Each structure stands twice: as structure tokens, then as C-alpha cells.
Amino acid sequence: MRKLLFLLLICNISFLFITSQLIAQQNLQNTLPDFVEKRLGKGWIQDIEFSPNNENFAVATTIGIWIYNSMTGIEVNSFEGVMGGANAISYSPDGRFIAAAHQDNTIRIWDTTKNQEVEIPTLRGHNKTIYDLIYSPDGTKLASAGADNNIRLWNLKNLSTHQRDTMKSKLLPYRDTVLTVAFSFDNQLVAGGSVDGTIQVWDANTGDQIYIFTEHTKPVEEVVFSPDRKELASASTDQTVRVWSLVGVGGQLDETILHDSPVYTVSYLSNGNSIVTGSADKLIHIWNTETYKEQQNPLTGHKDHVSVLDCSTDSTIIVSGSPDGTVLVWDVIGERMKFAISGHTGGIKALVYTEDNRIRASGTGLDGKLRIWDAGTSSELSTIRDHFDLTQSVMFSNDGKQVASGGSYDGTVFLSEVEKILSNNNSIQMTTVSQRFNGNPHGISALAISPRNSVIATGGADGNIYIFNIQAERLLKKLTGAQHPITSLTFSSDGRILFSGEENGTLRKWDALTGREIGTGIDLGPIGTITALGFRNEDSMLLIGNKKGQILLTQFKQKFESKGQVSLLPYPSEITSIIFSKDETSVIVGCENGSIFICDYRNIKQNINIPKNLTTNEKVRYINNYKQESNKPTLSVQEIASKARVSSVYIQTYDSKGDSSGIGSGFFIAPGKIATNYHVIDKASSIYVSHVGEEKWIKVIRAPILDKSHDLAILIINRINTPTLPLANSDNIEIGESIYAVGNPQGWEGTFSQGIVSSIRGIEPNKWIQITAPVSPGSSGGAILNSNSEVIGVATLAYFTIDPKVKVNRTQNINFAVPSNYLKDLLKKVR
């Protein structure tokens, strides 16, 4: 439950409490702008605690707090989206309140029954980071520990009166940062451990010191009282757990529980017969308190060190967290893992699209180690051992096959092969470093690798930029002229121009071949420190990120031309990486707190801040100009047809007798995930799909994800390397807009046709797009695309009126599609 010393690395984060999974998702979505299509990452795990009744457990991270059901692992509630994540948390004894220590050095108490913060003054007093806090067992006090070398005792007896004078705290002083604090179960004692290895035990009522223990030689990460209050256990990075007597004169008991690596967390099982520890060996150990020997085999499952854990009050469940991004829940009696919860990764430094269209992330954990993980699954792929302490700036090569990092105090830049890093994950083998460069002597603060992976640029606190030839390992140019530290770099798509951002908000452009500055730097003013840059080739747009979670769009042709600014986040969080999808239709933005946002580029442009000095008519023209520009066809009709066909499938269904029961169309919206209509597969006993133009049939094994009310279904197959079609924001379509349909009418595979949007029918939550493109039996489930080859809807039905005299359809071109936004909602339900 207690923090690592490395929590000093924490950056801006977010916090909000909500009480049902549905409400949590809706509230988070409401706080994000419309152009954000998906958010990945839940932040590094900092604390874990069971609710008093063991029904749920809370996980505090650098983004917020997640509440999971202890038996199923289903997300019940979440705190995120407003004011910042939590360094530490504690449930009140009745389970009604959760106290949280935040990045702004305050403590706030949240009412879980009313889904809101308790209306009492925010607890202020610590002037540095708060690392731990805990309720007293009777709920009348709260103890907090921090980097200001103090434990503070807060009086909560008159919590309901909301009086500020009842919130005054009592100071318990230390000589160094206090990392952990605990109450005894009878409310009489409070103990804390500090960075210098000192443990002090105090009278919780008078504040008098009772014991002081100094045997630990390194930081004390956690202390915990035994259930009978007679003993105190402590975990330390000196690779020991020590047990202290609190009877009489006190002092260490004879046995020291030795580990082979630093120990970060310790807890008693409620019966007092066992101590549970988590350490850097990735294991959870359970020790007998009589013999101080392990009473069973260690629990294995984490891929990285075990940083936090907690035990249920009935001693049947252990929950643990690790920088590998997982929370694991263990059956103590069965000595097995019950289930795992993934997604808790953070600290984004760099992002890249891999060849198989996945997003890979790299960043530093709370222990300072550089890691690589799959952003989609949030599963850790490897720790980069060779780059330890050289992680101020990180950058992937354009193809994702190399990763470079540089340190804030060392001018060395390491370049490693990602494949070697991943293969070395399970054991320490040969070094993964392929090349070293001696960059800025005052430390590396920014990196960029050219699109062809031939050149690496380094920026430093001295304001200079060094450009190296990677293959020759030779310095090509030294760029001088910047007046402030370089905080971000990126190349143009052809590698000829290098853009640099500075700490004071100055943006410059350089000729990467000659090393000369092009023009003069421009001061972006209020945007502040430029923390990330991303260049889009098609319209020469430069995206600029800052520490406030804002993105500025600046177009570069002959000169910079500001296009406006959008706020990505409802709370401050530093943007650290901006990349584009291969087709440049999506922007992927990484933040220091661990959030990754996948954004629709066209919608970003439509959400750009409107200048304040425009008249009403000018504002209308301003918005229309952006809409016209973003709606211009960027692909020929032939290119749209080609993209649509290779992503489309033919669907064949069979009944229980094995007879053919119908045909339909579908298309890939993600690797292995096919969108179609519900009515295409309804009542089918078996479903087969094949790529348009292919003979090979693939059977759908997994149960489809269904939305009957919108006539949608998502089929899941094992085939991964499939071209996909991006989903547009269907709220942005306009009547008269050109659209294209692809499907298999009457079994004619891959038929491509053109039309327009005739109308938008209905209202939320049941809208329909009326189109003129033909929809016939067999076309159902096919993609309806815009001029950018983005899916705006799914073909679903045609309207017929049969003349009874001549038995001919008298109705023409009245066809309908399900809006793509409903499909986006359904896609979120796919695990």
C-alpha cells in the first residue's frame, strides 16, 4: 500500500469519483472533446486498498482511481477526469469515504455514496509531495506522510460540521522524507518510516515519541502493525523485512526476513499468523510469523517488481500491483491467481505505429526504468535495462525497430534494437545498445530521428542541437541560435527540415542539411513550454503540445501560420508525444500521466478555437472554411474503391441443418474484427467469412458482439493482419455529401457504387442516414464511406413499394445506413 521513493517522478494527473461503470464512462467521455475517439492507459499503479467489507478494492494511479469488484475484477467505479490522480488512498472504516493524497500536496475526502467530494475544507499543510495516508480504525483521525519530513495527524471527529478549525493537524517530525504511515488497530499508536531508514512509533493521542528504530540501512517503504498491536513489520529496499516488538522497551525481534532484492511492500494476514511481502524479484512471499520461514511457494505472475499489495480482512484474497501494468488478484488458500486486470501503464515518453498497425509506447516507471509496452493491451513487453537513468527524452525510429534515449545530466544517447530488447526481457543477456552518441554536454532534453532513420538530432539544456549520421556515428552539424533549453524536436516528412521547440515557447525551423535556421523563431506566447511536436505531410501542419494538455495547430509552407488551438484534456497534463497514423487521418497523443488519446484529425481542425475578435458573420465563414477544407476529397474514386474492397468480406450463414440461410457483407474495423448487420447473422447456427475475391473461408468461433436496436454486429476472427477501414464521426456528415458503398448484392462480390447523403432521419438515440447508393439483398452490412475512405455508416436496408398491378418496385434510391458512431460505441464493448 505504500509508495516507492521514485514517486518523485510523478507529473500532472487527474481525479474524479463516480459510482457506476456506466456513469463513469459517460462522465469521462463528457470531459473529453468530440475529436477524441479512444483513450488508452490508466496510469502507473501507486496504491491499492480493499474496502472494509472486502467487496471491492481501489487502485490509485497517476491518472485517477479505479474501483474493481474483488470477486470478478469488473470495474465498478472510477475517479478520473478533473483534478489529478492519487499518490495514496485510504477507505474510511465504514467504507463510505475515500481519502486521497493528490499531486498538489492536498488531501481530499470523497463520499462514495453521493458520488462527490465531501463538503469540508481541503486538507492543506504539507508543502511537498504526500506519499502515504491512512484512516485510523475508528475513523476519527487521518495520518499523512510526505517529503516535508513530517507525519501530520488530522482530527476528523467533527467532519460533518465542515468547520475549518477542526481540520488542524499535529506534526510528528522526521529528519528525512517519510514514505509510509500506519495506525495500530486499537487507534493508540501511529508509526512511520523514512528515506534514511528510520522508523518512529508515536502516541496517536498525545504525539509523544515512544520508539525509534534505526537498523534499516536504506529507505523504509512500508510499515504495518500486527493485528494484536504487539509487533510492527517494516519493508525496506535494503532487502529485508524486520519485525519489531512494541512491548516494554521494544526493539527488533531476533529474526530478520531476508530477501534477494529490494522489498517494497508488506502486510499482515488478519489472523496474525502470516506476513505477506512484495519485492523486486517479481514474487509475493508469505512468511510464518512464528518461524519467519516461507510457509508456501511464492506467488508468481508479475513480469516486474511487486510495488504494492493489500490483504482482505478475512485473509482469503491478496491483491497486488506492479509496473508491468497489471493488478493481480490471488486466492490465498488455493495458492493461485484468480484473475488479472491490465491497463495500468503510464509515463509516456514516445509512441510509434508498428508494421502490424499497433501502437507501441515507451516511458519511465515510478522506479526510473525505461519500459516498452503495447498501448492497445497495456501489457508490458520489456524493460530496457541498458537505458537506466538516461530517460529524460525517448524516441522511436519511424519504423519502430529502434529506440533512442538520453538523460538529463548525461550527454550520452543510447540507440537500441527493439527486437533485441524484447528478446532479452526474461533474462539478462548481451547488451541491446547498438550505438552511442555523445550529444549535448549539459544533458539531453529532446530527441528526433529522421523519417528514413538515417539521422538523429539531439537537443539540450544549453540550447544547442546536434545532428548525427546514425550509420557512420559521426557528428554532421551543430545548430546554434536558440536562447533557451530545447524541449522538443521533429523532422518534416522528407527529413530536410527540423523543427525545434523551446522551454520559453519559441518555435524554430532549421535546414537539416546545412544546419542554418530558416527565418527567425516565433514566440508562441501563452502556450508556454513546447513539450511535443508532430508534423503532418499532406497539409504541412505542425501540431504543438504543451504542459497544459493543449495542442496548437500551425501550418508551415513558406512561413508559419497559426491555425488555432484545441484543449485535449479537461485538466493539466503534459503532452509528451504526437504521432500520426500511416494514412494521417488519426492523431495519437501521449501524456506524461499515462493517457494515450486517439483523435480524429479532421475533427480536431473543426474544433479549433475561433478567434475572439471576429464578427458573427466572420465566425460563420471561419467555421465553414475549415469544414470545406477538411471535407475536400483526398483520394480518387479509384483509390477509395481499392481501399474499400481489400477491407471487405463476404458473409455466408448456415442453419442448424447445415443449409445456407443467407448472405451478407461486412468490413474490418480493427484487426480480426468485422462489422456487419445484426439481421445478417440473426438466427444463424454457423457463420463463415471470406475476403472479397478470395476462396478461403474462415469460421467465426467467438460469439458476436451485438447491438440489436441499431442492427449492428461485430464478428471476431483470429486473422490479425487485415486491412481496416477507419470510422468517421457520423455527426459531421452533411446532406448532399458524396458517399460510396461496397458490398455483395445478390452475391456479386465487391460491388462498388456511388451516391450522396439524401437526408438524416430520426433523432438520438435512433438516427439513420438516408442514401442514394444502391442497397440490395446481400449488401446489408457493407461499408458506406466518405471521400476520405472513412466509414460513415453501415448499409442496412432499402425501401420498396411494389405496384400490385405490374409487380414492379415503384420506389427508387431510398436506402438507409446505420451511423458509424453507433458502431464506435459497440466497438468499445469488444475486449
Side-chain angles (χ1 to χ4, degrees), residues 754-799:
Q754 189 172 357
I756 65 169
V757 175
S758 303
S759 184
I760 309 296
R761 302 294 181 184
I763 59 174
E764 293 291 358
N766 289 298
K767 280 186 176 181
W768 300 89
I769 305 171
Q770 184 179 333
I771 59 175
T772 62
V775 175
S776 302
S779 299
S780 294
I784 307 298
L785 304 110
N786 61 18
S787 297
N788 292 313
S789 196
E790 300 166 325
V791 177
I792 64 165
V794 182
T796 185
L797 61 89
Y799 183 78

Side-chain angles (χ1 to χ4, degrees), residues 355-358 643-649 666-675 689-692 694 696 698 715-726:
E355 291 180 344
D356 58 355
N357 210 33
R358 294 176 180 269
K643 286 179 175 288
R645 284 172 56 87
V646 298
S647 302
S648 296
V649 299
F667 56 96
F668 284 97
I669 52 175
K673 298 175 179 65
I674 300 167
V689 300
S690 70
H691 263 94
V692 168
E694 291 187 5
K696 183 178 179 180
I698 302 171
L715 311 179
I716 303 174
I717 63 173
N718 293 327
R719 192 167 182 175
I720 301 300
N721 296 321
T722 51
T724 62
L725 291 174

Side-chain angles (χ1 to χ4, degrees), residues 131-148:
Y131 286 122
D132 198 11
L133 83 169
I134 188 171
Y135 268 100
S136 61
D138 61 6
T140 62
K141 295 183 181 68
L142 188 72
S144 56
D148 56 2

Side-chain angles (χ1 to χ4, degrees), residues 31-43:
T31 63
L32 297 177
D34 292 340
F35 56 79
V36 175
E37 296 185 325
K38 192 173 185 179
R39 199 210 66 174
L40 305 172
K42 297 181 180 180

Side-chain angles (χ1 to χ4, degrees), residues 22-38:
L22 178 60
I23 295 175
Q25 292 172 347
Q26 290 175 340
N27 275 271
L28 175 60
Q29 190 60 43
N30 290 339
T31 63
L32 297 177
D34 292 340
F35 56 79
V36 175
E37 296 185 325
K38 192 173 185 179

